[in-house]
Short mmCIF file of all heavy atoms in Angstrom, two decimals:
data_model
loop_
_atom_site.label_atom_id
_atom_site.label_comp_id
_atom_site.label_asym_id
_atom_site.label_seq_id
_atom_site.Cartn_x
_atom_site.Cartn_y
_atom_site.Cartn_z
N CYS A 57 36.61 141.80 122.49
CA CYS A 57 38.09 141.66 122.34
C CYS A 57 38.45 141.16 120.93
O CYS A 57 37.90 140.15 120.47
CB CYS A 57 38.59 140.68 123.39
SG CYS A 57 40.37 140.45 123.25
N PRO A 58 39.38 141.84 120.27
CA PRO A 58 39.78 141.38 118.95
C PRO A 58 40.77 140.24 119.03
O PRO A 58 41.10 139.63 117.99
CB PRO A 58 40.47 142.60 118.33
CG PRO A 58 40.96 143.35 119.48
CD PRO A 58 40.03 143.07 120.66
N PHE A 59 41.22 139.88 120.23
CA PHE A 59 42.26 138.86 120.32
C PHE A 59 41.69 137.55 120.78
O PHE A 59 42.39 136.51 120.85
CB PHE A 59 43.36 139.29 121.30
CG PHE A 59 43.99 140.59 120.91
CD1 PHE A 59 43.80 141.75 121.63
CD2 PHE A 59 44.67 140.68 119.70
CE1 PHE A 59 44.38 142.95 121.26
CE2 PHE A 59 45.27 141.88 119.34
CZ PHE A 59 45.11 143.00 120.09
N HIS A 60 40.45 137.48 121.20
CA HIS A 60 39.79 136.17 121.49
C HIS A 60 38.34 136.31 121.24
O HIS A 60 37.78 137.35 121.05
CB HIS A 60 40.13 135.69 122.96
CG HIS A 60 39.19 136.26 124.01
ND1 HIS A 60 39.34 137.53 124.52
CD2 HIS A 60 38.13 135.73 124.61
CE1 HIS A 60 38.39 137.71 125.43
NE2 HIS A 60 37.63 136.63 125.50
N GLU A 62 34.48 136.21 121.88
CA GLU A 62 33.58 136.38 123.00
C GLU A 62 32.31 137.03 122.66
O GLU A 62 32.20 137.60 121.55
CB GLU A 62 34.32 137.23 124.10
CG GLU A 62 34.68 138.65 123.65
CD GLU A 62 35.25 139.44 124.81
OE1 GLU A 62 35.45 138.85 125.86
OE2 GLU A 62 35.47 140.62 124.57
N PHE A 67 36.85 143.67 126.83
CA PHE A 67 38.00 144.39 126.43
C PHE A 67 37.78 145.83 126.75
O PHE A 67 36.77 146.46 126.31
CB PHE A 67 38.12 144.15 124.92
CG PHE A 67 39.25 144.80 124.23
CD1 PHE A 67 40.51 144.22 124.25
CD2 PHE A 67 39.13 146.04 123.57
CE1 PHE A 67 41.64 144.81 123.66
CE2 PHE A 67 40.21 146.62 122.95
CZ PHE A 67 41.46 146.02 123.02
N CYS A 78 42.38 143.28 128.33
CA CYS A 78 41.23 142.40 128.14
C CYS A 78 41.11 141.52 129.38
O CYS A 78 42.05 140.88 129.78
CB CYS A 78 41.41 141.48 126.93
SG CYS A 78 40.14 140.21 126.84
N PHE A 79 39.92 141.60 130.01
CA PHE A 79 39.68 140.78 131.20
C PHE A 79 39.36 139.32 130.90
O PHE A 79 39.22 138.55 131.78
CB PHE A 79 38.58 141.43 132.03
CG PHE A 79 39.05 142.73 132.69
CD1 PHE A 79 39.02 143.88 131.98
CD2 PHE A 79 39.52 142.69 133.98
CE1 PHE A 79 39.45 145.06 132.54
CE2 PHE A 79 39.94 143.86 134.55
CZ PHE A 79 39.96 145.05 133.84
N GLY A 80 39.24 139.04 129.58
CA GLY A 80 38.98 137.63 129.20
C GLY A 80 40.26 136.91 128.94
O GLY A 80 40.46 135.79 129.45
N CYS A 81 41.15 137.52 128.12
CA CYS A 81 42.33 136.74 127.72
C CYS A 81 43.66 137.39 128.23
O CYS A 81 44.73 136.79 128.03
CB CYS A 81 42.40 136.59 126.21
SG CYS A 81 42.74 138.12 125.30
N GLY A 82 43.55 138.47 128.88
CA GLY A 82 44.77 139.08 129.47
C GLY A 82 45.58 139.93 128.54
O GLY A 82 46.60 140.45 128.92
N ALA A 83 45.15 140.12 127.27
CA ALA A 83 45.92 140.95 126.37
C ALA A 83 45.92 142.43 126.91
O ALA A 83 44.95 142.83 127.52
CB ALA A 83 45.28 140.97 124.98
ZN1 ZN B 20 40.65 139.01 124.99
#
Side-chain angles (χ1 to χ4, degrees):
C57 177
F59 303 113
H60 83 281
E62 62 176 4
F67 182 82
C78 174
F79 288 83
C81 69

